[in-house]
Amino acid sequence: MPVNKGKAWEAIFKSGWSKSFPNGTIDRLYDPTNGYIAISNVSDFIGYDYPLIFYLELKSHKGNTFPFTCLPQYEKLTAKVGIKGVRAGVVLWMIDHDLVLYVPISTITKMKNDGKKSVNVKDIDDYHIIKIPGVKKRVFIECDYRCLKDLEEGC
């Protein structure tokens, strides 16, 4: 049976977050994938490190682009924008490029308003997309998420 890289990456992410924020916390929200279509969470993870709370949707994607249609949590995440001390976004592992990115939900809104249908690796320098520093292991990238503490309000 093939290994689900996305689920394995969630464990790597959680470990990396805990190492990056040893005085913080990270919780995986219940994953309603057992046929309960009417149930959906705001994000995969909620992390906290004083004074910030992070709503983080984790995605892994092959290829050059991550389509916005693969982000059903968009509306719920946008509801978090503008709340003092709250950061909401997508932690995106671009598998073929060995990149882990943080894409604020406000950046996705701007991209949509600009007519974009996806995040492309070519867009990294044109939009507020953060490259998460990390070390590539055999398959996964072990990241240091401390750079997310410096995010400005609304990201």
Side-chain angles (χ1 to χ4, degrees), residues 11-27:
I12 301 277
F13 165 79
K14 189 172 183 178
S15 172
W17 184 274
S18 296
K19 288 176 187 173
S20 298
F21 303 111
N23 296 319
T25 185
I26 186 85
D27 291 309

Side-chain angles (χ1 to χ4, degrees), residues 64-75:
N64 296 330
T65 62
F66 170 74
F68 297 141
T69 57
C70 294
L71 185 62
Q73 301 83 355
Y74 174 75
E75 294 298 328

Side-chain angles (χ1 to χ4, degrees), residues 9-75:
W9 187 60
E10 286 183 3
I12 301 277
F13 165 79
K14 189 172 183 178
S15 172
W17 184 274
S18 296
K19 288 176 187 173
S20 298
F21 303 111
N23 296 319
T25 185
I26 186 85
D27 291 309
R28 173 66 165 102
L29 298 180
Y30 172 74
D31 192 2
T33 58
N34 295 334
Y36 299 104
I37 294 172
I39 300 172
S40 67
N41 291 323
V42 63
S43 60
D44 288 327
F45 287 89
I46 297 177
Y48 177 78
D49 192 64
Y50 181 82
L52 302 174
I53 188 165
F54 297 85
Y55 291 88
L56 302 166
E57 182 63 24
L58 258 66
K59 297 293 182 185
S60 55
H61 209 76
K62 290 187 174 191
N64 296 330
T65 62
F66 170 74
F68 297 141
T69 57
C70 294
L71 185 62
Q73 301 83 355
Y74 174 75
E75 294 298 328

Side-chain angles (χ1 to χ4, degrees), residues 9 13 56-59 64 66 89-94 97-104 119-125 128-133 141 143 145 147-148:
W9 187 60
F13 165 79
L56 302 166
E57 182 63 24
L58 258 66
K59 297 293 182 185
N64 296 330
F66 170 74
V90 178
V91 177
L92 176 59
W93 175 28
M94 299 296 282
H97 295 275
D98 293 329
L99 281 174
V100 176
L101 308 170
Y102 174 76
V103 187
V119 174
N120 189 304
V121 292
K122 295 176 185 175
D123 293 329
I124 294 171
D125 295 327
H128 189 242
I129 298 172
I130 292 117
K131 291 181 190 177
I132 305 292
I141 300 172
C143 296
Y145 296 96
C147 62
L148 298 183

